């Protein structure tokens, strides 16, 4: 009995170890397959490894220059008696010192062109901008809007309403002075920035379907109708066709060119001709390598939730673009609005690459990237400022039909998620378990039937079994011989 238990436990150990080995082999095979698929999305790069003065760290040089500037301000410059001016200059100096520290000491991101210090600079700007948003969030509505006057005296004034979609005639015959006044009135600084924004967003996301979902179906369809009190002033034709459609089209063409171009890098002083040197300088502002994003949202639940989160954050950032300038009383053509777009252009590209790396290779990228973390925090903080400064605008009642569309969309997404990643997976595992059990039972039956077929021939050749059968059949020949 003890021997049977020992053998049974040994069999269980062998089975468990074989099962663990099989699971490890399967996971290693999946990891290898994912790594191979990732290698197929990365472009091949040839670099001669030249490390010039341009690429070396200059921490001591920056520290020496910064110290000389502070010594000059302290010993040689007379401090003005203007408190407001000194406050502004002290804040600017503090920000510059922090930027100098970050550019020289911060951790590098995934991008290296035109220079890693360039992306470290934008990382530090992200920290400064987040701190500024936190400061604005803790002010009252009146104080926050008046504080913008310290940045620009022209701010802090309520915005006039501008009509983008009231008269959509390209040629207005009623206006004899300027029949094309509708085009010039609606083509403010935000429209070309809007086109460039969607061009850059396409380069960030690198997927046509996600761009179209964010642009047409959600952002510039349902948001316009869901909030007519805010978005009734934007012309649909200029929005969808000119800004979004043309920007996405140009972005996809650029993606095709970047994925096909060769990436061969050579040191500037190793190039013999002046034409080659100029070309090399121009290509310094292009990517060092290229990775084709393959989101595959339906492959597993982690990717699906990541894609939904990316779409949600993009929608929230797009909503902040319209609402933030409205609640802080900044006109669309103001340089702060355009600087915010430039900021998100540089920050968003790095953040999307970090999100893709974190989602595509979690074994290597064990935590979310620093720029992606800051971009998400900035987007949420901007939305909180909008909610605090003008809650009535956001809380206006939505038309019942649009509410039904939103509820229907959310129900469809939730239903598909449950079916694809829970119900369907459960059915698949149950079916696989039943199939394996059926195959195991069938194999055992076949083995038992084969043993029965082999038993008569073996018994015929066994004398002990034959003598036993002779006794059962009533044969008494051996007994008679012993008696005789």
């Amino acid at each position: 009995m003890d021997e049977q238990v020992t053998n049974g436990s040994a069999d269980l150990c062998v089975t468990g170890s074989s099962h663990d080995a099989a699971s490890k082999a399967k996971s290693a095979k999946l990891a290898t397959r994912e790594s191979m698929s990732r290698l197929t999305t990365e472009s091949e790069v040839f670099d001669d490894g030249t490390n010039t003065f341009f690429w070396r760290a200059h921490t001591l040089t920056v520290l020496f220059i910064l110290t000389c500037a502070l010594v000059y301000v302290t010993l040689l410059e007379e401090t003005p008696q203007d408190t407001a001016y000194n406050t502004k200059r002290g804040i600017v100096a503090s920000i510059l010192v922090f930027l100098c520290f970050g550019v020289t000491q911060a951790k590098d991101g995934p991008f290296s062109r035109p220079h890693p210090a360039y992306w470290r600079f934008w990382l530090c700007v992200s920290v400064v901008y987040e701190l500024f948003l936190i400061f604005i969030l803790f002010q009252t509505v009146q104080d926050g809007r008046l504080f913008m006057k310290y940045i620009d005296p022209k701010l802090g004034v309520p915005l006039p309403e501008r009509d983008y979609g009231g008269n959509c005639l390209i040629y207005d015959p009623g206006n004899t002075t300027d029949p094309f006044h509708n085009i010039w009135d609606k083509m403010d600084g935000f429209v070309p920035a809007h086109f460039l924004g969607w061009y850059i967003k396409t380069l960030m996301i690198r997927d046509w379907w996600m761009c179209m979902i964010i642009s047409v179906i959600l952002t510039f369809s349902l948001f316009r109708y869901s909030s007519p009190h805010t978005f009734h002033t934007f012309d649909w034709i200029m929005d969808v066709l000119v800004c979004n459609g043309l920007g996405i089209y140009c972005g996809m063409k650029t993606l095709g060119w970047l994925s096909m171009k060769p990436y061969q890098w050579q040191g500037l002083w190793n190039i013999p001709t002046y034409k080659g040197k100029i070309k090399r300088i121009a290509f310094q502002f292009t990517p060092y390598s290229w990775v084709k994003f393959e989101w595959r949202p339906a492959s597993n639940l982690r990717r699906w939730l990541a894609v939904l989160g990316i779409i949600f954050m993009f929608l929230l950032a797009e909503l902040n673009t319209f609402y933030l300038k409205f609640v802080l009383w900044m006109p669309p053509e103001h340089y702060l609005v355009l600087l915010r777009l430039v900021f998100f252009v540089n920050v968003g590209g790095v953040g999307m690459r970090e999100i893709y790396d974190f989602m595509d290779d979690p074994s290597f990228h064990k935590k979310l990237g620093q720029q992606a973390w800051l971009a998400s925090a900035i987007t949420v903080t901007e939305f909180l400022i909008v909610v605090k400064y003008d809650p009535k605008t956001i809380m206006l009642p939505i038309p019942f039909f649009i509410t039904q569309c939103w509820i229907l969309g959310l129900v469809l997404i939730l239903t598909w998620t449950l079916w694809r990643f829970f119900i369907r997976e459960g059915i698949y595992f149950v079916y696989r378990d039943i199939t394996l059990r059926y195959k195991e039972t069938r194999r055992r039956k076949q083995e038992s039937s084969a043993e029965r077929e082999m038993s008569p021939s073996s018994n015929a050749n066994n004398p002990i079994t034959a003598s036993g059968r002779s006794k059962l059949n009533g044969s008494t020949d051996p007994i008679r011989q012993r008696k005789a």
Side-chain angles (χ1 to χ4, degrees):
M1 181 68 180
D2 295 338
E3 185 178 359
Q4 291 179 356
V5 173
T6 305
N7 293 334
S9 61
D11 293 339
L12 289 175
C13 293
V14 172
T15 305
S17 61
S18 62
H19 178 71
D20 294 339
S23 61
K24 290 180 180 179
K26 184 177 180 180
S27 60
K29 185 177 180 180
L30 291 175
T32 306
R33 186 181 302 173
E34 290 180 358
S35 62
M36 290 299 295
S37 64
R38 181 172 176 83
L39 288 175
T40 57
T41 61
E42 295 183 359
S43 60
E44 190 173 2
V45 181
F46 300 94
D47 196 342
D48 61 357
T50 303
N51 188 15
T52 59
F53 178 82
F54 180 72
W55 293 102
R56 295 168 190 162
H58 303 286
T59 55
L60 293 178
T61 304
V62 174
L63 180 61
F64 176 75
I65 295 174
L66 182 62
T67 305
C68 291
L70 295 178
V71 169
Y72 172 79
V73 172
T74 304
L75 301 179
L76 301 179
E77 188 180 55
E78 184 179 357
T79 304
Q81 300 301 318
D82 189 351
T83 304
Y85 174 76
N86 291 334
T87 303
K88 292 180 181 180
R89 194 172 70 157
I91 294 174
V92 172
S94 302
I95 294 173
L96 290 177
V97 171
F98 174 73
L99 292 179
C100 290
F101 167 77
V103 167
T104 55
Q105 301 293 338
K107 186 174 68 174
D108 289 336
F111 294 167
S112 60
R113 296 299 169 89
H115 196 278
Y118 176 81
W119 303 108
R120 294 196 294 265
F121 168 79
W122 285 108
L123 175 65
C124 299
V125 172
S126 303
V127 177
V128 173
Y129 183 53
E130 173 64 12
L131 295 177
F132 169 75
L133 292 176
I134 295 295
F135 176 81
I136 293 293
L137 182 63
F138 277 81
Q139 307 303 313
T140 63
V141 177
Q142 183 178 3
D143 292 342
R145 288 169 176 170
L146 291 178
F147 179 78
M148 302 300 293
K149 282 184 171 294
Y150 289 97
I151 301 175
D152 188 352
K154 297 179 182 179
L155 298 177
V157 181
L159 297 177
E161 182 70 15
R162 178 175 293 182
D163 186 12
Y164 285 90
N167 185 1
C168 297
L169 293 177
I170 298 177
Y171 180 83
D172 188 5
N175 192 329
T176 57
T177 306
D178 188 6
F180 298 96
H181 68 94
N182 286 326
I183 299 177
W184 315 127
D185 292 342
K186 297 174 178 58
M187 288 293 293
D188 55 10
F190 188 75
V191 172
H194 200 53
F195 162 77
L196 292 176
W198 272 104
Y199 173 78
I200 299 297
K201 288 172 192 173
T202 307
L203 299 181
M204 295 179 191
I205 301 175
R206 307 181 191 182
D207 186 82
W208 185 83
W209 283 105
M210 288 182 63
C211 291
M212 293 303 297
I213 289 173
I214 295 173
S215 172
V216 178
I217 300 178
L218 295 178
T219 309
F220 295 105
S221 288
L222 297 181
F223 276 176
R224 296 297 191 272
Y225 289 104
S226 298
S227 303
H229 49 276
T230 303
F231 297 115
H232 69 284
T233 60
F234 208 95
D235 188 6
W236 246 92
I237 298 175
M238 185 179 298
D239 189 3
V240 176
L241 297 181
V242 177
C243 297
N244 302 3
L246 188 59
I248 293 174
Y249 175 79
C250 296
M252 294 305 297
K253 290 295 183 182
T254 307
L255 288 175
W257 176 75
L258 290 173
S259 62
M260 296 299 294
K261 71 178 292 291
Y263 291 90
Q264 299 179 356
W265 303 109
Q266 189 178 3
L268 184 64
W269 306 112
N270 297 332
I271 301 175
T273 61
Y274 288 103
K275 183 179 179 180
K277 293 180 185 294
I278 296 174
K279 186 177 180 181
R280 175 64 180 82
I281 293 174
F283 276 103
Q284 183 67 28
F285 296 91
T286 60
Y288 176 78
S289 63
W290 191 254
V291 177
K292 182 181 178 181
F293 287 179
E294 294 182 355
W295 295 104
R296 300 194 302 273
S299 60
N300 53 57
L301 181 61
R302 188 170 186 266
R303 283 181 172 271
W304 171 247
L305 295 178
V307 170
L308 289 181
I310 291 170
I311 293 175
F312 174 76
M313 294 304 294
F314 261 91
L315 295 178
L316 194 60
E318 199 69 35
L319 187 66
N320 294 338
T321 304
F322 292 96
Y323 274 118
L324 195 63
K325 64 183 180 66
F326 178 75
V327 300
L328 293 179
W329 293 351
M330 291 186 296
E333 63 275 3
H334 196 269
Y335 71 91
L336 289 180
V337 179
L338 300 179
L339 283 179
R340 179 186 174 274
L341 295 177
V342 173
F343 165 77
F344 270 100
V345 163
N346 292 274
V347 169
V350 182
M352 286 299 298
R353 175 61 185 274
E354 290 177 347
I355 292 173
Y356 181 79
D357 290 338
F358 177 70
M359 182 185 66
D360 193 60
D361 193 6
S363 60
F364 183 76
H365 302 276
K366 298 184 181 300
K367 61 181 181 179
L368 186 64
Q370 51 192 2
Q371 191 66 82
W373 191 92
L374 278 171
S376 303
I378 287 171
T379 304
V380 174
T381 309
E382 286 182 344
F383 182 72
L384 293 178
I385 291 175
V386 172
V387 173
K388 179 179 179 179
Y389 276 53
D390 197 356
K392 296 181 180 179
T393 303
I394 297 180
M395 298 302 175
L396 287 177
I398 302 175
F400 180 70
F401 174 73
I402 302 302
T403 305
Q404 288 180 327
C405 292
W406 276 106
I407 294 175
L408 178 62
L410 294 176
V411 168
L412 289 177
I413 292 175
L414 180 61
T415 304
W416 189 88
T417 303
L418 293 176
W419 163 254
R420 177 64 179 82
F421 300 106
F422 294 97
I423 300 176
R424 181 182 172 185
E425 293 291 333
I427 294 174
Y428 170 73
F429 284 122
V430 171
Y431 172 76
R432 188 180 66 175
D433 186 57
I434 294 174
T435 304
L436 291 176
R437 288 178 182 270
Y438 171 74
K439 290 181 179 181
E440 182 67 19
T441 306
R442 185 177 179 183
R443 184 181 62 82
R444 290 179 179 179
K445 288 181 178 180
Q446 290 177 355
E447 290 179 355
S448 62
S449 62
E451 290 178 357
R452 293 194 192 97
E453 292 177 357
M454 295 291 294
S455 59
S457 59
S458 61
N459 292 334
N461 298 326
N462 192 346
I464 299 176
T465 306
S467 63
R469 288 188 177 183
S470 64
K471 292 179 182 180
L472 292 175
N473 292 332
S475 177
T476 58
D477 293 337
I479 299 175
R480 290 175 182 176
Q481 291 177 1
R482 285 199 290 279
K483 287 182 178 180

